[in-house]
Amino acid sequence: YAEDVEEVTDGADKQLKIELVLEEIEERWTTATFLFKEWRGRGVNILQGTVAIMEELEETQMNLQAFLTMRHVAPFRERAQDLLTSLSETSETLERWLKVQMMWCSLESVFTGGDIAKQMPVEAKKFGKVDKEWQKCMANATNTCLVVEASANDVLRQSLPVMYSELEKCQKSLEGYLEQKRNKFPRFYFVSNP
């Protein structure tokens, strides 16, 4: 009988620990915010300090996966699974977001003025559309500021793959353009694309 009581109290202790950690995780990720910095005085913000957020998201997901294998998680299984799903989706969105941001940052100065934009008007127009969409997404993110909430934005999630695809086309056209210049002026082969 004493063993049964001990087993029940031990189980209750483990469940309490799981519940407290889940509450801590929920609190952390409902209040976690992005850092932003303005991009080259254009009035457009970009994400900053995302490496730490990505690492913490990954660690939290691993902890939640470990909880889901525990016997004592039963009363909190659905809650832990929902939280894991939410953080996994946040992580995926943020990865896409950062890829788009990296490409947008590398192409922005090329296609928002200067000689190359004039010589590649189709690509400059294509970039201009993405640029407007990017500005809207970043304005919304800046207003929301919360990592999970901003990443859960359906408009953002749907537009990121499209923006990436369009930016990739601009990038390929730009590489082709630079290759033509290198063929005419071989010294350009010694100069990197940036």
Side-chain angles (χ1 to χ4, degrees):
Y1 178 75
E3 285 176 12
D4 291 346
V5 170
E6 194 177 314
E7 191 179 315
V8 169
T9 56
D10 183 49
D13 282 347
K14 287 178 178 167
Q15 284 182 349
L16 179 63
K17 283 178 186 169
I18 289 170
E19 185 177 24
L20 291 173
V21 171
L22 280 176
E23 283 173 9
E24 201 177 287
I25 290 170
E26 285 169 341
E27 171 66 23
R28 167 67 184 129
W29 290 106
T30 51
T31 59
T33 56
F34 280 124
L35 289 173
F36 297 95
K37 74 173 183 181
E38 188 182 349
W39 179 254
R40 295 184 177 171
R42 271 196 65 201
V44 182
N45 283 337
I46 60 169
L47 298 171
Q48 188 180 12
T50 51
V51 172
I53 290 172
M54 290 296 285
E55 286 172 357
E56 193 178 345
L57 268 170
E58 201 173 297
E59 187 181 326
T60 306
Q61 288 172 74
M62 285 177 8
N63 291 342
L64 286 167
Q65 285 167 343
F67 280 156
L68 288 166
T69 64
M70 293 178 178
R71 185 173 65 131
H72 300 286
V73 79
F76 315 106
R77 181 171 302 284
E78 197 176 320
R79 187 173 162 192
Q81 187 59 58
D82 289 349
L83 196 49
L84 178 60
T85 301
S86 170
L87 294 182
S88 295
E89 288 171 357
T90 298
S91 217
E92 284 174 28
T93 301
L94 192 49
E95 275 180 41
R96 278 197 196 103
W97 198 345
L98 293 173
K99 283 180 181 175
V100 171
Q101 177 171 291
M102 226 167 85
M103 200 172 279
W104 178 85
C105 287
S106 72
L107 296 173
E108 188 268 346
S109 62
V110 174
F111 288 113
T112 54
D115 293 340
I116 295 177
K118 286 174 191 157
Q119 291 175 44
M120 299 179 73
V122 175
E123 288 75 11
K125 191 175 181 181
K126 204 177 280 187
F127 181 85
K129 284 182 183 174
V130 174
D131 189 50
K132 280 181 188 157
E133 190 66 32
W134 176 255
Q135 287 180 53
K136 279 185 212 164
C137 288
M138 292 313 295
N140 286 340
T142 304
N143 290 338
T144 307
C145 214
L146 298 170
V147 173
V148 174
E149 193 180 323
S151 300
N153 182 310
D154 283 337
V155 174
L156 176 76
R157 283 187 176 168
Q158 289 167 10
S159 57
L160 285 174
V162 176
M163 283 194 275
Y164 187 78
S165 170
E166 290 301 300
L167 288 172
E168 219 173 18
K169 288 173 191 170
C170 291
Q171 175 87 40
K172 283 183 180 152
S173 295
L174 179 60
E175 286 168 6
Y177 171 82
L178 294 175
E179 191 59 32
Q180 286 176 344
K181 294 298 172 192
R182 286 185 175 113
N183 286 336
K184 287 181 184 174
F185 305 101
R187 276 186 255 164
F188 285 160
Y189 280 106
F190 298 104
V191 180
S192 68
N193 282 355

